[in-house]
Amino acid sequence: MMKQISFFLTYVCLGLSLSLNVAAQTAVPVLQFKTSPAVAVFKPVLLDTMDVNRKAFEDKNLLQTSVDADVVRRSQSILTASADSVLTLPTVAHYTAQLLAFHVDADRYCKAELTVTATDMLEVYVNGTHEKTKETAEDSLQKAKKLTIPLTLEPRRYEVIIKRLATTDTIISALKAEIVPDKKDSLAQISVSTDPKRRIFINDILEGNRLQWGTLSPTGQYYIVSTRNLFAGGKHTVQNQEIRELKTNKLITRLPLELSPRWLRGKNQLIYSRKGKTDKDLVLLDIPSLKETVWVEDIAFDSYLVTPDAQTIIISRKEEIPEDKGDLKRVLAPNDRSGAFRGRNALYIYSPRDRTTRQILFGRAKIYVADISRDSQKALLMQYEEDYTKRPFSVNTLYELDLKTLQLDTLLRDAFMSGADYSPDRTEILLTGAAAAFNKLGENLQTEPISNDYDKQAYIYNLQTKQIEPITKNFNPSINDANWSVFDNNIYFRAEDKDCVHIYQYNPKTKIYTQPDLPEDIISSFQVSETQPIALFRGEKATNAYRLYSYDLKSKKSTLLEDPFNEQLNELTLSPVTPWNFMAQDGTTIEGRYLLPPNFDPAKKYPMIVYYYGGTSPTSRNFESSYPLQCYAALGYVVYTLNPSGATGYGQDFAARHVNAWGKRTADEIIEGTQKFAREHDFVDAAKIGCVGASYGGFMTQYLQTQTKLFAAAVSHAGISAISSYWGEGYWGVGYSGVASADSYPWNNPDLYVKQSPLFQADKINTPLLLLHGAVDTNVPIGESIQMYNALKVLGKEVELVTVKDENHGIAAYERRLEWNKTIYAWFARWLKDQPQWWEALYPER
C-alpha cells in the first residue's frame, strides 16, 4: 500500500477521524503520481493552411488527443518527486501524450486550491471534469505558468488527472503540484495518495454495476440475470438482461430490456409478450436453440399466467370504477384517496388451441390468482374486501376454481390470511398470514396480549380433512415468502431471522426445519429447480452488494455466478460489523451491532451515530440501503444500531411489544443501549452522540428527544409527530395503525394518541433536530414534520425543516438522494464535529 502524504500529520489516512486540536495544515505537496505509458502523437497531414474556422494548426491542438483515463487508473507505474516536490519527466524525441494521476482526500468539507506548475502543455481534470488548460511550453519551472484550480472538497475521494503534452522542443519536462487549504479551513486534513483503496461515500451506494435479479429455468440448466450499471454522475445507465448456462456460465443470448421473460414450468422455454398488430402477442423462446415462435397473437391483457400444461392462459384486464364528473370527487372509502381503490382485475380464461376467451368471474370484487396446481386442473383465487368496522379493516376469501368447468368453491375466509400455494400433489395448501389468523391458531404469546400482524406465520391446510396446521407457531423467524418445491416436496421459507434474512427448509413429513449454510446474510430470492437438486439465490451482507449464486441441495455448496459490483467493491475500505448485545432492565437481551471508522485508533474519542427503526421491521445487515451505515463510519463516526422490542424475527412475544406502544419500552431500550455502549467503549465521545431514523424511525427520533438529553443532534426523516393526524391523514395510516395501535382509536384511547405523540411534548425537546420530508409524501404526510417544525420554532428551539421536491415517502431520484444524504452528513458534522462549514455551504443564511 502506497504511503499517504500529509504535511503535518503523516499518519493521516483514509477515513481517520481527527480530534479538534490537530495542527493547522498548510500546503500539501503531491510527491507521487501514477503514470500511463507515453503515447506518440503525430501532427496531422496539412492539406490546407486553415481549417473550417479559418484557424492555422498549432502544437497546442495536439492536447485534444484522447487518452483513456482507465489506462492510468490501472497502471502500476509510480513516479516520485524530488525532495523539493519537483517531478522530473523524461524528455522525448517526438510529440508525446501522457497521463499523470493522484487522489485527494479530505477529512471534512473544506475549500482549497490545487496549483500545478509545469513546463509542458497540459490539461487538468478533477473527477473527470476538465478544469484548466495550459497551452504554452517553457524551458524551466521558473518561467512556467502556474495553473490554479479552486477545489470544494467533501469528505471523500477525488481523482486528479493531468494530461501532459511533451514536444520535441522540450529541454526539460518538470512538474510541481500542491494543494493549499483555504485559510478558513486550515484545520482540514487533506491527504494526497496513489493508493487505490478509498473510503466509501454515498455515490458508491447509488452508482456502479448492480445485480437486479436472477431466475432459474425449471430444469436447472439455465438462468437469466439482470444487471444495471449507473455511471458516475447518474446521467448514464446501462442495463443488461442475459441468459446463461448454469454449469459453465456460458452466455447464451442477451434479451431486449423491454421484454419481461418468465420460464414455462418444466421446460427450457421462455415466454414474453410484445406488441402485436392490434394488441399483444405472446412469444415462446426455446433454449438453447433460440428458436422464437409466436404462440398467441393479438390478445388484450394487462397480466397473464400460463398453466403448467401450457393449454390454458389466465389473463387479467384492469377495470376501474368510474370517476365522478367535474372537479368534485366523492370519496368511496378511506383507500379511495390513494388512487388504487377503484381498480379491479377482470379474469378470463384463454385457450390457445381454439382462440376462445371466457370470463371467469363477474362483479366488482378485487380478486387475483394465488396459484395454479401442478396438474393444471385447479387454481386458487384470493378475494380482497374492505371492512372498516374492525381491524385489519379487510377480509380475504380463498376460492378454488376448476379450470375446466369454472366451478368455484369457497375454501376459507379470514381477515388475517394473506397468501396461498398448492402442494405439488394438490392435496394441501400452504397458507401465510398473521398469528391471529384462523381464530389465533398460530398464536404463541406468553406475555403480550395482542400479536403483531407483521410477524408472519405459515399454515398447511388439508383439502380433504379441512384441518389447518400452524407449522411456524414455535418458529421465531418471521416469514417473508414461501415456496413448496416440486423437486423434493420441501417448503423453502425466506424469513426475517433477527437482523438477517435466511432460508429455511421445512420437511412436511418429519416437521423438521433445517437452515442451508449460505454465504450471505440477506437473501432476497431463493428458487429451486423442478427437476434437479439445484437452487438459485440472490444475497448481500453489510460488506458487499447483491450477488447471484447457485446452491447444490445435495453437496450443500454454493457457487458464485454473478458479482457485478466486485470491481468497485475492491476499491473500498469498509468497516467490519461487530455484534454487541446488552441486557435491558427487564432482563430482555437486546441485540445490536456496531461499525468503527476505517483506520480506527482506540486511543481517540469519536462521535457516534445511533440508527434504529423501531417500526417492527429489524434493521438488517445489508449494504444497499437508504441509510448506509458504512458511509457514516467512513465519515469518521462510530455507528451503533440495534433492534429494540417490537422487531419481527425475534419471536412472537418480542414482536408483539410493538402493539399499542408507540415508543414505550422501545425508546427506553434505545436510550439504555446507547448509554451502556458509550460507557463500555472509551473511544466514544459521550457528549457527541447523534441519532437518525425514518418513517416510524423518524417518529422514534422525535419521541426520543422528549425522553432524554442524551443526543447532541437528531435527524427525523418522514417522521410522525402526532399519532392522531397520521392515523387519519396518511394513506397507510389507518391500516398501519390497525397493527401498531390495534383496537385503539383516538376516541377510546386518547392517552395513547396524545401522550405518545412527540408534538404534545415538544417543549421537552432540546436537541438540535433536523426534519426531512418528501414534499409529496402520501404515507406520512409532510404536515407531520411541518407541525413539529412550527412547534419548535414557537418554543425557540434549534430546528431545521428541509423538504425534498417531488419525492414521496422514500427519496428516489439520483440527484435528490445525493443532496438528501449530504444534508444529513452536514447536520451531523455541524453538531457532532463542530464543523458547520458543510451545512452553511448547503444552506447559507438568507
Side-chain angles (χ1 to χ4, degrees), residues 601-659:
D601 183 350
K604 291 184 176 294
K605 288 282 189 182
Y606 292 85
M608 183 167 78
I609 294 175
V610 181
Y611 174 70
Y612 41 75
Y613 177 52
T616 212
S617 295
T619 60
S620 58
R621 293 174 175 263
N622 54 357
F623 177 81
E624 299 184 25
S625 166
S626 296
Y627 295 86
L629 304 190
Q630 289 283 355
C631 290
Y632 295 136
L635 290 169
Y637 299 98
V638 174
V639 182
Y640 170 50
T641 185
L642 70 163
N643 285 313
S645 290
T648 52
Y650 291 84
Q652 288 192 33
D653 271 302
F654 196 89
R657 295 175 182 177
H658 176 68
V659 181

Side-chain angles (χ1 to χ4, degrees), residues 27-201:
V28 182
V30 183
L31 300 181
Q32 291 185 323
F33 299 78
K34 273 190 173 185
T35 61
S36 71
V39 178
V41 178
F42 302 98
K43 290 184 178 182
V45 177
L46 302 182
L47 299 179
D48 289 301
T49 57
M50 297 288 178
D51 64 8
V52 293
N53 296 312
R54 305 200 63 79
K55 290 185 178 181
F57 179 83
E58 299 179 72
D59 284 354
K60 66 182 182 181
N61 296 126
L62 295 175
L63 274 172
Q64 298 171 10
T65 301
S66 175
V67 182
D68 187 359
D70 281 341
V71 175
V72 73
R73 292 183 184 125
R74 292 191 296 263
S75 174
Q76 300 298 312
S77 176
I78 305 291
L79 291 181
T80 302
S82 62
D84 58 355
S85 307
V86 174
L87 181 70
T88 302
L89 296 158
T91 56
V92 293
H94 49 72
Y95 291 90
T96 300
Q98 187 178 28
L99 300 183
L100 311 175
F102 58 91
H103 308 304
V104 179
D105 289 273
D107 75 320
R108 66 189 72 190
Y109 179 93
C110 62
K111 293 188 177 181
E113 285 185 344
L114 166 64
T115 63
V116 180
T117 308
T119 57
D120 295 324
M121 289 184 279
L122 55 82
E123 291 179 336
V124 180
Y125 296 81
V126 178
N127 281 359
T129 299
H130 175 255
E131 297 290 345
K132 289 285 182 72
T133 298
K134 177 177 176 288
E135 296 181 337
T136 60
E138 294 81 23
D139 58 11
S140 71
L141 277 182
Q142 287 74 24
K143 298 178 182 178
K145 177 184 176 182
K146 179 189 292 185
L147 295 184
T148 301
I149 297 119
L151 300 176
T152 298
L153 302 176
E154 295 170 341
R156 63 186 179 101
R157 165 67 52 90
Y158 290 82
E159 177 190 64
V160 177
I161 293 180
I162 300 170
K163 180 170 71 176
R164 64 180 281 253
L165 177 68
T167 70
T168 54
D169 300 327
T170 302
I171 299 173
I172 181 173
S173 283
L175 182 147
K176 183 176 182 178
E178 63 180 13
I179 297 173
V180 182
D182 188 281
K183 290 182 180 180
K184 294 180 180 179
D185 293 317
S186 61
L187 291 177
Q189 296 300 303
I190 299 173
S191 57
V192 179
S193 168
T194 55
D195 186 348
K197 283 287 187 179
R198 58 184 175 84
R199 289 173 293 175
I200 189 173
F201 196 64

Side-chain angles (χ1 to χ4, degrees), residues 294-539:
V294 178
W295 184 38
V296 174
E297 292 183 288
D298 289 320
I299 60 171
F301 60 84
D302 291 295
S303 62
Y304 67 94
L305 288 172
V306 180
T307 57
D309 63 4
Q311 298 302 306
T312 303
I313 305 172
I314 301 179
I315 62 175
S316 173
R317 296 172 183 165
K318 293 180 181 178
E319 297 180 342
E320 293 280 339
I321 297 174
E323 294 279 357
D324 297 304
K325 295 180 180 179
D327 294 334
L328 293 128
K329 173 185 175 181
R330 176 193 171 207
V331 177
L332 303 181
N335 281 348
D336 192 22
R337 296 170 54 229
S338 69
F341 173 82
R342 300 187 181 219
R344 299 293 187 269
N345 290 322
L347 298 179
Y348 301 81
I349 285 183
Y350 179 84
S351 172
R353 181 179 299 173
D354 55 20
R355 295 177 59 85
T356 58
T357 303
R358 294 174 292 166
Q359 187 168 359
I360 297 175
L361 302 169
F362 178 83
R364 292 163 59 94
K366 284 188 175 182
I367 199 160
Y368 69 92
V369 180
D371 195 19
I372 299 173
S373 64
R374 181 69 184 170
D375 61 9
S376 302
Q377 299 299 307
K378 305 275 189 175
L380 295 174
L381 307 183
M382 188 77 79
Q383 177 183 331
Y384 169 86
E385 301 170 271
E386 285 85 1
D387 180 2
Y388 288 100
T389 62
K390 57 185 177 181
R391 70 175 189 94
F393 312 119
S394 63
V395 63
N396 290 321
T397 305
L398 182 65
Y399 299 99
E400 186 173 51
L401 175 71
D402 189 305
L403 293 174
K404 305 302 179 186
T405 65
L406 296 191
Q407 178 181 336
L408 192 68
D409 293 329
T410 303
L411 299 180
L412 295 164
R413 181 176 172 84
D414 192 279
F416 297 94
M417 172 179 60
S418 56
D421 292 279
Y422 278 115
S423 64
D425 62 3
R426 195 165 53 85
T427 62
E428 296 175 303
I429 297 173
L430 173 65
L431 303 169
T432 54
F438 316 117
N439 294 317
K440 301 183 179 181
L441 186 63
E443 207 168 81
N444 183 20
L445 295 175
Q446 306 299 317
T447 61
E448 303 301 316
I450 303 175
S451 62
N452 185 336
D453 295 342
Y454 292 119
D455 185 34
K456 294 300 181 183
Q457 307 296 315
Y459 307 81
I460 291 180
Y461 174 64
N462 188 294
L463 282 164
Q464 184 174 2
T465 66
K466 311 300 181 185
Q467 297 297 305
I468 301 175
E469 178 189 4
I471 61 173
T472 57
K473 188 172 184 175
N474 299 303
F475 181 69
N476 281 342
S478 174
I479 305 303
N480 282 352
D481 53 55
N483 177 260
W484 205 323
S485 171
V486 173
F487 173 72
D488 58 11
N489 204 40
N490 286 324
I491 298 171
Y492 290 88
F493 291 110
R494 195 175 62 87
E496 284 178 347
D497 188 5
K498 299 183 178 179
D499 59 1
C500 298
V501 178
H502 287 145
I503 299 299
Y504 284 91
Q505 181 187 47
Y506 176 74
N507 188 318
K509 292 183 178 179
T510 65
K511 305 186 187 308
I512 293 175
Y513 285 92
T514 56
Q515 182 187 349
D517 184 15
L518 304 180
E520 304 290 355
D521 291 332
I522 306 295
I523 309 299
S524 65
S525 63
F526 189 88
Q527 182 186 1
V528 180
S529 163
E530 295 180 14
T531 60
Q532 300 294 325
I534 199 75
L536 189 79
F537 70 92
R538 175 180 182 260

Side-chain angles (χ1 to χ4, degrees), residues 668-782:
D668 292 340
E669 290 169 355
I670 293 172
I671 294 167
E672 185 180 0
T674 302
Q675 290 173 331
K676 286 184 174 179
F677 186 92
R679 281 198 301 267
E680 293 184 17
H681 299 89
D682 293 339
F683 50 77
V684 173
D685 184 345
K688 296 293 186 181
I689 300 176
C691 60
V692 57
S695 193
Y696 193 97
F699 157 80
M700 284 305 308
T701 291
Q702 296 181 36
Y703 181 75
L704 280 166
Q705 310 324 307
T706 71
Q707 305 297 303
T708 182
K709 297 179 181 179
L710 173 63
F711 300 105
V715 176
S716 167
H717 173 74
I720 300 160
S721 63
I723 304 168
S724 57
S725 55
Y726 166 69
W727 172 82
E729 294 179 10
Y731 280 6
W732 303 350
V734 171
Y736 182 77
S737 297
V739 180
S741 314
D743 298 326
S744 292
Y745 303 97
W747 53 88
N748 70 1
N749 192 355
D751 279 356
L752 176 70
Y753 283 82
V754 174
K755 290 183 179 179
Q756 295 308 117
S757 291
L759 181 66
F760 292 90
Q761 303 180 69
D763 58 323
K764 297 178 182 177
I765 297 177
N766 293 295
T767 307
L769 176 61
L770 171 62
L771 300 163
L772 291 163
H773 223 113
V776 291
D777 193 333
T778 54
N779 176 11
V780 178
I782 193 172

